[in-house]
Amino acid sequence: MQNTKTWTWLCAALLGLAVISRSGAAQADGPDVAQLLDQKVESLTMSGMELPAALADLGKQVGVTIVLDDESAEMLPWGKQTKLADVTITNASLREALPKILGALGMTYEVREQSVVVVATDPLRRLARRATWEELKLLRRMSETAYSPAAFGEFKLQYRITSKVDAPKMLLEQMEKSGQGSVAQVLETATGALRWGWTPEDDHIVIRTGQAQIAGKLSRRVTARYTGQPLSQILVDLGDKAGVMFKLEPGLLLKLPPSVSSYTLVLQSTSIRAALELMAAETGLKYEIHADAVSIGVGEAAAGSGPATGGATRSGSSPIAAKVSIPAKEGGVSYEIFLREDELPAEFLEHREQLKQQYIQKLMAELAPDPRIRTGEEQK
């Protein structure tokens, strides 16, 4: 009997500890941000407020912290002093209202831990500078217009693609395959499939290759100080600031001299590309811009291969990009020359990438089944 009472008491004590533990954990975690965003705001009107203050007031309505990302703020016409247009919310949740409020500024939001962070949309980030009000107006129009070929035709486009490919035709064909949505959404999907990119510019849309788009992102100017930090951390942070993936060569840091294992870099309104050039000169790194990323590797000097003579000596780490066949004269010997990526100009690599995408599109069209042909089972 005594054992039964002891066991009952022990179970009750453990249950009480579990309840206290769960309660303490819930209190430490705080309220669920996603749940707070779904709470209805009965009535709210704001007029002519600077964006950070307006976001703070919006958050107070439901008890959630809403902040503006510092780097994204630099994409706005007046930075953090950019004012929000007149806002009126009636019996709507912030989840419903925020996209409409932020869309006018080319912004969106992310839920991070216990707060909501307002960030620039991808098209705005790709500008790599402060947008104009005209460009924000264009972005809003694109996001509010449902895609159709006719609706898309109402927008002005400028193709900065080599004339050797029919870029308008390739884009329209890809957009027809990209599903439904706004003009901005369908264009984002289509250009991504083609490994291109787009940005607003004044009153028109600019279409570029992915390589040119990434080069544009690297022109963004930043101010930062890195003191005695690992090179890998600096590169990752610079890639985040540019909105570009930096692919580090495997074993990169092991191939560099120990003297550059920690690095100090001070940037004062310096372009990210200039920062990479400086790091390449001081550490022996090299970088290459591709359609989807920037690859970071080790240059010849850091790899220990010695200085190049007349540009003829190469480390051999760059992949082969082209083959030149030179036919022999009658009775002579023909031969072939293989060229690596780092031996060719960026314009050639960009053109090669476009031709590859065009060929892939044609190949996929040839492999697609003819809709006019039906199997015997279907014919029955």
Side-chain angles (χ1 to χ4, degrees):
M1 185 69 177
Q2 185 177 1
N3 290 340
T4 302
K5 290 182 179 179
T6 302
W7 177 250
T8 302
W9 176 86
L10 181 60
C11 287
L14 289 174
L15 181 61
L17 285 174
V19 170
I20 293 172
S21 176
R22 285 196 298 270
S23 176
Q27 188 174 1
D29 291 341
D32 183 74
V33 175
Q35 185 177 1
L36 293 175
L37 286 176
D38 288 326
Q39 288 186 14
K40 296 290 184 180
V41 176
E42 292 184 4
S43 180
L44 175 66
T45 300
M46 294 187 297
S47 178
M49 294 181 65
E50 292 184 354
L51 189 55
L55 294 175
D57 275 8
L58 282 172
K60 287 179 182 178
Q61 299 299 313
V62 296
V64 65
T65 300
I66 305 179
V67 296
L68 176 62
D69 176 63
D70 289 339
E71 294 182 5
S72 296
E74 291 305 309
M75 303 290 103
L76 295 171
W78 300 341
K80 289 185 177 180
Q81 281 70 51
T82 301
K83 293 183 178 181
L84 199 63
D86 294 348
V87 173
T88 300
I89 301 176
T90 303
N91 195 30
S93 68
L94 287 189
R95 191 184 299 278
E96 296 167 332
L98 277 176
K100 297 178 182 178
I101 295 171
L102 300 177
L105 297 174
M107 309 291 276
T108 185
Y109 71 92
E110 299 173 354
V111 176
R112 299 180 186 173
E113 297 179 354
Q114 297 304 310
S115 65
V116 174
V117 182
V118 173
V119 297
T121 57
D122 288 340
L124 193 60
R125 287 178 62 88
R126 286 195 289 262
L127 272 176
R129 59 169 172 79
R130 288 192 174 185
T132 65
W133 291 108
E134 187 175 25
E135 288 162 347
L136 291 182
K137 183 179 178 181
L138 175 59
L139 280 178
R140 182 173 186 177
R141 180 182 159 211
M142 292 177 67
S143 65
E144 293 178 350
T145 303
Y147 171 75
S148 70
F152 186 60
E154 296 296 320
F155 290 87
K156 298 178 183 178
L157 274 77
Q158 183 182 100
Y159 291 90
R160 296 180 186 172
I161 309 278
T162 176
S163 59
K164 295 184 181 294
V165 298
D166 191 347
K169 180 181 177 182
M170 290 175 65
L171 180 61
L172 286 175
E173 289 177 349
Q174 190 61 50
M175 291 183 79
E176 287 299 299
K177 303 174 184 177
S178 299
Q180 299 179 342
S182 68
V183 168
Q185 291 170 330
V186 175
L187 182 59
E188 189 76 15
T189 302
T191 52
L194 293 168
R195 301 181 77 183
W196 295 350
W198 67 275
T199 56
E201 187 170 299
D202 299 327
D203 64 343
H204 58 275
I205 304 167
V206 173
I207 309 293
R208 295 189 180 96
T209 63
Q211 198 168 20
Q213 196 72 59
I214 287 183
K217 287 184 176 182
L218 294 181
S219 68
R220 181 182 177 190
R221 295 183 175 274
V222 297
T223 297
R225 176 183 291 272
Y226 307 96
T227 304
Q229 294 189 28
L231 272 175
S232 58
Q233 292 183 9
I234 297 175
L235 289 168
V236 168
D237 188 62
L238 288 176
D240 287 343
K241 291 181 184 303
V244 173
M245 178 181 290
F246 282 7
K247 293 183 178 178
L248 306 188
E249 179 182 306
L252 172 66
L253 298 182
L254 298 177
K255 300 174 185 177
L256 293 173
S259 58
V260 298
S261 58
S262 61
Y263 188 67
T264 296
L265 180 66
V266 179
L267 305 175
Q268 184 67 40
S269 189
T270 306
S271 74
I272 294 174
R273 188 162 191 170
L276 289 177
E277 292 286 355
L278 178 62
M279 295 175 72
E282 293 185 345
T283 67
L285 292 175
K286 69 173 183 179
Y287 71 93
E288 296 174 2
I289 301 174
H290 301 286
D292 58 349
V294 173
S295 62
I296 310 289
V298 180
E300 293 174 6
S305 61
T309 56
T313 304
R314 297 283 174 175
S315 65
S317 61
S318 179
I320 293 173
K323 180 179 74 173
V324 179
S325 298
I326 303 177
K329 295 181 179 180
E330 188 175 349
V333 178
S334 63
Y335 57 96
E336 297 178 337
I337 298 175
F338 293 91
L339 300 175
R340 297 184 180 277
E341 284 189 354
D342 57 5
E343 296 174 309
L344 294 166
E347 292 79 6
F348 175 88
L349 298 175
E350 185 175 319
H351 176 53
R352 182 193 65 162
E353 188 65 33
Q354 294 168 18
L355 291 178
K356 282 169 55 180
Q357 294 302 318
Q358 189 177 37
Y359 174 78
I360 291 171
Q361 293 293 321
K362 290 181 178 180
L363 183 61
M364 294 301 295
E366 291 175 2
L367 293 177
D370 191 332
R372 297 171 297 177
I373 300 176
R374 296 185 298 170
T375 64
E377 188 66 28
E378 290 174 333
Q379 291 175 0
K380 295 178 182 179

